Amino acid sequence: MASGTLRRMSPTTPPAPQLRMRIGTALLLSAALAACVFGKSGSTPSPSPSPSGAIPKYLEPAEVTSPTAGPGSSAQQIAAARAHIDHIVFLTKENRTFDNLFARFPGADGATQGTKCDGTTVTLQRAVDREPDYGHSFTDGITAVDGGAMNCFNDGAYVTYERADIPNYWAYAKRFVLADHFFSSVYGPTGIEHLWTFASQSDRLVDHERPGQLGSARREYCDDPLETAFSFPHMTRAEQEKMYLLENEGPAGVGEVRASWVSRWPCLDVKVLPDLLDQHGISWKEYRGDNIWVQPLRMVRHVRFSSMYRNVVSDERFLQDLHSGHLPAVSWLTPSFADSDHPPESICEGENWSVDILNQIMSSPYWSSTAVVLTWDDFGGFYDHVPPPHLDLYGLGPRVPTLIISPWAKRGSIDHQTMEFASVLRFIETVFNLPPLTSRDAQTNDMLSAFDFSQQPQAPLILKQRTCPPKP
């Protein structure tokens, strides 16, 4: 969901050098780039910059035309995936970090303490069912990451759930695969993250429409040419590098990053994965709950104003298609806001929605050939201790919880491979033999490390919904 803040926090005492690798890059190159002024000028992303000052080759993923997929899983593993997986469900919820849900999960890369912007260390407190809605905009993400220090989150956001609070999410993690180095694609917020789940880019957009940017009283995207949202401008390579280095500065750099933005109509014509699916005769649908912030394909002109938009349907249609034998090969599924886990909504009620959906998938004939990737769309302002790789101008953002659920998912496994939303796209592209969209999905992990196709297929894990705490 949209963050209500685009705040700039005060610079603080630099943290430990090993967490400030990205700032070292800024010190090496800032003198050469300080004079850059923004104009209107018109594949493999690297990991975080090295101490030698390396900057990724591609800072704008969409600049790579016809990217070639980088190294992936073995030919044997890919062939097994294609033989066993016919249906992929990309199920996305909202606004949680890995540490918020799984900091105490046995064997996972969790934490019990966190560092704050003033340098103090605090113990992560037990989260409550209905947490506050903390800022989670693009600049909030840059601020929180703070060049890799992971120390400038909201004071109240240093919280984590225990197993008793979210027992069913923990049950899935114990039985199937928990990915503990899965990051959001961008710093935030929700709407832009969801566009990345279809396009592996956002055509430079970095934010939702804010008050004063709406042409009407509500978000209408391509349906309202008077609507605007913030975006990076077209930049030269030198200008891109300057922004990249400013992002490394955390709170000290966000003001200048934001000052570079322009306002433009959030109606784009980027290639999305459904384009490739259609071209290859592979069925797909977006099952979308009632949530004004989650309408990614309404931002894509050629989808919104063509027959492709008939594939954008209510989330209620998912169960209808599941039980009528019409589940497409690829499904994007998001719940209504009330069931999304987005604060201040109840995480218990959101978990119950997830349990209902997964119970019905596992009880259907589709279970034997289905893989579900259950993830959360952005960090929601909550604390996480693992620095995200700085791949380009957009992120990665903080870690988000991710579960890979399938009869072919490894049993009770924690996958430590670095992944992001583009990894789900590459997973789909790998299974269905499709080319990548941008440098991001071309070079990311294909997620097949989470599967063992030689194992006895896992039986369904049918769970009970819980009685949730009353709303205060």
Side-chain angles (χ1 to χ4, degrees):
M1 173 183 168
S3 161
T5 61
L6 283 168
R7 65 184 187 276
R8 178 177 178 179
M9 302 176 68
S10 300
T12 59
T13 304
Q18 65 268 27
L19 293 177
R20 298 296 290 181
M21 182 182 297
R22 303 203 291 189
I23 297 301
T25 306
L27 294 175
L28 288 167
L29 297 178
S30 59
L33 296 172
C36 289
V37 177
F38 281 91
K40 297 183 179 179
S41 61
S43 353
T44 303
S46 304
S48 299
S50 67
S52 65
I55 288 182
K57 182 177 181 181
Y58 299 114
L59 295 177
E60 174 55 67
E63 289 179 348
V64 186
T65 58
S66 302
T68 300
S73 296
S74 68
Q76 181 180 6
Q77 181 75 344
I78 292 172
R82 292 174 178 171
H84 290 85
I85 298 174
D86 296 328
H87 304 274
I88 296 174
V89 180
F90 193 170
L91 198 171
T92 308
K93 308 206 73 181
E94 294 195 55
N95 290 50
R96 303 287 174 171
T97 60
F98 185 91
D99 279 341
N100 182 238
L101 297 195
F102 294 111
R104 297 175 180 173
F105 192 87
D109 188 356
T112 58
Q113 295 180 320
T115 305
K116 298 174 70 174
C117 222
D118 62 5
T120 60
T121 299
V122 296
T123 298
L124 301 187
Q125 300 299 306
R126 187 171 182 174
V128 298
D129 183 55
R130 295 177 184 268
E131 283 289 327
D133 183 13
Y134 297 113
H136 47 277
S137 69
F138 194 89
T139 50
D140 287 329
I142 293 173
T143 296
V145 170
D146 194 13
M150 308 305 288
N151 66 351
C152 280
F153 297 81
N154 185 285
D155 284 348
Y158 291 77
V159 295
T160 186
Y161 289 98
E162 296 184 3
R163 178 178 182 176
D165 303 318
I166 47 173
N168 289 326
Y169 284 147
W170 276 49
Y172 294 131
K174 184 178 180 180
R175 167 68 85 82
F176 299 104
V177 175
L178 175 65
D180 69 351
H181 281 80
F182 193 109
F183 298 86
S184 53
S185 286
V186 301
Y187 295 113
T190 283
I192 303 305
E193 301 276 14
H194 281 267
L195 185 56
W196 279 74
T197 69
F198 281 88
S200 194
Q201 62 152 308
S202 58
D203 192 21
R204 297 177 288 111
L205 286 174
V206 294
D207 200 16
H208 287 302
E209 303 84 341
R210 300 285 174 177
Q213 295 180 312
L214 301 175
S216 64
R218 60 187 183 276
R219 291 175 171 85
E220 295 185 302
Y221 309 95
C222 281
D223 292 296
D224 184 0
L226 299 180
E227 193 166 295
T228 60
F230 288 121
S231 165
F232 278 122
H234 287 292
M235 292 184 281
T236 64
R237 173 67 186 190
E239 292 165 347
Q240 290 176 347
E241 290 182 357
K242 180 182 180 182
M243 283 301 100
Y244 180 87
L245 297 176
L246 285 168
E247 290 174 0
N248 287 341
E249 296 179 14
V254 293
E256 196 168 350
V257 170
R258 190 179 187 281
S260 75
W261 295 348
V262 297
S263 291
R264 49 187 279 246
W265 185 20
C267 183
L268 323 171
D269 247 332
V270 298
K271 183 184 292 185
V272 290
L273 191 53
D275 289 319
L276 301 180
L277 294 169
D278 275 354
Q279 290 169 17
H280 290 79
I282 301 164
S283 59
W284 68 274
K285 278 185 183 175
E286 182 198 2
Y287 298 93
R288 190 178 69 204
D290 184 14
N291 189 333
I292 61 172
W293 290 276
V294 181
Q295 301 185 64
L297 293 182
R298 198 176 177 187
M299 302 170 69
V300 182
R301 184 181 293 106
H302 73 268
V303 176
R304 174 65 187 94
F305 300 117
S306 76
S307 59
M308 293 179 71
Y309 206 67
R310 297 173 189 164
N311 286 20
V312 179
V313 297
S314 165
D315 63 326
E316 296 176 353
R317 279 283 302 277
F318 179 81
L319 293 180
Q320 296 174 23
D321 287 351
L322 180 75
H323 294 306
S324 66
H326 293 94
L327 186 69
V330 180
S331 303
W332 284 262
L333 174 60
T334 55
S336 65
F337 180 79
D339 295 319
S340 69
D341 296 342
H342 190 305
E345 300 300 319
S346 164
I347 196 166
C348 174
E349 293 178 3
E351 184 189 56
N352 279 347
W353 181 92
S354 302
V355 166
D356 180 45
I357 292 292
L358 291 168
N359 280 350
Q360 296 199 53
I361 292 173
M362 293 188 203
S363 300
S364 77
Y366 289 107
W367 171 242
S368 63
S369 60
T370 294
V372 179
V373 180
L374 168 57
T375 190
W376 282 254
D377 65 7
D378 69 44
F379 78 118
F382 289 106
Y383 175 74
D384 194 84
H385 79 282
V386 176
H390 195 186
L391 298 185
D392 49 44
L393 291 173
Y394 303 92
L396 302 175
R399 280 192 310 172
V400 290
T402 301
L403 296 158
I404 298 99
I405 299 171
S406 171
W408 305 106
K410 292 177 179 177
R411 189 179 184 95
S413 177
I414 298 174
D415 195 314
H416 305 298
Q417 299 294 315
T418 299
M419 304 177 190
E420 53 143 325
F421 300 143
S423 303
V424 187
L425 299 187
R426 182 160 186 189
F427 173 44
I428 296 168
E429 292 157 2
T430 300
V431 169
F432 295 105
N433 198 20
L434 302 173
L437 295 162
T438 72
S439 63
R440 276 283 195 96
D441 57 320
Q443 299 301 323
T444 191
N445 186 290
D446 63 17
M447 301 188 72
L448 292 186
S449 57
F451 297 88
D452 181 357
F453 297 106
S454 66
Q455 71 183 11
Q456 185 71 22
Q458 294 205 53
L461 178 62
I462 305 301
L463 300 176
K464 293 183 179 180
Q465 292 179 316
R466 297 187 293 133
T467 300
C468 297
K471 187 173 183 178

